[in-house]
Amino acid sequence: MAVSTASGNVIAKYLPVYFVLLGIAGLEVFLAYRNLSTSSLLAILLGLAVCGGALAAMYFMHLAQERRSLFLTLIPALIFVLLMLNMIWTDSFRLLHLRPFAH
Amino acid sequence: MWLFIISDAVTFGALLFGYGYLRTASPDWPTPFKFNPSILNVMLMTFVLVTSSLTMLGAVDSAKAGDKAKATRFLWSTVLLGLIFAGLHIREWFGLIDEGVRLFQNSWGSPLFGATFFSITGLHLLHVISGVVAIAVIARGFARGSLTAGHVETTGLYWHFVDLVWMFVVPLLYLLNLSR
């Protein structure tokens, strides 16, 4: 468990993170209506979502205050598994063009 | 709880990667979401869910400080916000169902759109409803003294994770499928 903040007003303490998260959500909607290519938009939106998720994990979930060993055990393992899932993309592009890469 | 969260993150990750795979491989993927009502609704849902994370932080902090009444008030506020989120989500679902989207069909193109949309948002909604029930049970138990601040904190971790997942669901499922 995270160390107690011993703060009387935790809401005020985390308000900046709250507004940044709302700002990220608003920025995502704004960018979605710009004339960006799908791949650029995907990259930008994913980048913003990762930033928002990291803020939520580090501050709301107090991961920044957890034991370092917990962070170092869980997060690299999660990132490794998520990266391994990226192996599917080549096959999805092959399906799109309905032909194997061997051709 | 952290191990559960990581395993759940991998589950959602796999679902979102699967969605990306199908979207990339389907040339007739629909873009049905109009600003009004869908995107406005999603923005409101995001505001409600992020605000509920803030009230959950208040509940955890008050519980640790031993302020039972304040912690219970924050917990019930979180339950209320969770219910509002679920209501908005179900309203969004009914809007799409009215337009002909089903689990295995939709009137705009690839039937896989309905399957992935309802699967991913449905799993998230299931997490929200489970969280609402868990927080209500914890609020009641904590007010009666049968549960501790540790229980409140553990439930808070879960609730923040539900919020975190939503931050990935919105851009990938909604914002990449805008109607222009």
Side-chain angles (χ1 to χ4, degrees):
Chain A
M1 297 291 163
V3 179
S4 174
T5 57
S7 159
N9 194 354
V10 75
I11 299 281
K13 182 181 173 186
Y14 288 107
L15 264 183
V17 179
Y18 170 75
F19 285 121
V20 169
L21 290 177
L22 290 181
I24 286 174
L27 182 62
E28 284 175 345
V29 173
F30 173 76
L31 290 171
Y33 281 95
R34 308 303 294 174
N35 286 324
L36 300 170
S37 67
T38 305
S39 54
S40 305
L41 185 62
L42 174 66
I44 294 169
L45 291 181
L46 265 183
L48 287 170
V50 167
C51 291
L55 277 175
M58 298 303 274
Y59 295 102
F60 283 5
M61 297 169 83
H62 302 305
L63 190 57
Q65 297 166 30
E66 288 284 0
R67 295 187 308 276
R68 195 171 175 78
S69 59
L70 182 82
F71 182 90
L72 291 176
T73 309
L74 295 181
I75 300 305
L78 175 65
I79 292 170
F80 175 75
V81 173
L82 293 178
L83 285 178
M84 287 297 102
L85 289 171
N86 281 288
M87 285 194 287
I88 63 172
W89 296 119
T90 48
D91 192 49
S92 76
F93 291 123
R94 180 186 63 79
L95 278 177
L96 182 64
H97 300 292
L98 293 176
R99 61 175 186 267
F101 284 126
H103 290 199
Chain B
M1 180 50 79
W2 273 108
L3 284 177
F4 169 78
I5 285 172
I6 293 298
S7 64
D8 224 17
V10 171
T11 304
F12 272 106
L15 276 172
L16 289 170
F17 275 111
Y19 155 78
Y21 175 97
L22 293 171
R23 192 189 189 287
T24 306
S26 304
D28 58 344
W29 198 260
T31 52
F33 297 115
K34 298 181 180 73
F35 185 73
N36 188 14
S38 290
I39 301 303
L40 273 180
N41 195 51
V42 163
M43 287 169 75
L44 185 58
M45 286 160 74
T46 304
F47 173 74
V48 168
L49 201 59
V50 177
T51 305
S52 75
S53 265
L54 203 61
T55 56
M56 196 70 212
L57 280 168
V60 171
D61 192 64
S62 305
K64 281 180 181 174
D67 191 340
K68 200 173 275 190
K70 198 173 171 184
T72 309
R73 272 200 306 277
F74 272 126
L75 284 170
W76 286 115
S77 304
T78 310
V79 167
L80 179 66
L81 289 166
L83 287 174
I84 292 171
F85 178 89
L88 290 168
H89 210 151
I90 289 167
R91 188 178 77 159
E92 169 75 17
W93 271 26
F94 279 130
L96 284 172
I97 290 168
D98 276 347
E99 293 190 59
V101 184
R102 301 285 188 278
L103 197 54
F104 298 111
Q105 69 180 57
N106 84 73
S107 49
W108 302 301
S110 173
L112 293 169
F113 170 78
T116 51
F117 179 82
F118 286 122
S119 301
I120 295 171
T121 57
L123 185 65
H124 185 263
L125 184 59
L126 181 67
H127 276 71
V128 170
I129 292 170
S130 308
V132 164
V133 172
I135 295 168
V137 169
I138 295 290
R140 202 172 144 90
F142 188 69
R144 289 178 169 184
S146 57
L147 296 176
T148 64
H151 293 104
V152 178
E153 184 176 17
T154 307
T155 317
L157 271 181
Y158 171 81
W159 192 252
H160 298 311
F161 171 72
V162 171
D163 184 13
L164 192 156
V165 169
W166 185 245
M167 290 175 200
F168 286 87
V169 170
V170 171
L172 295 176
L173 258 71
Y174 289 92
L175 298 181
L176 280 178
N177 298 316
L178 288 181
S179 171
R180 292 173 192 279

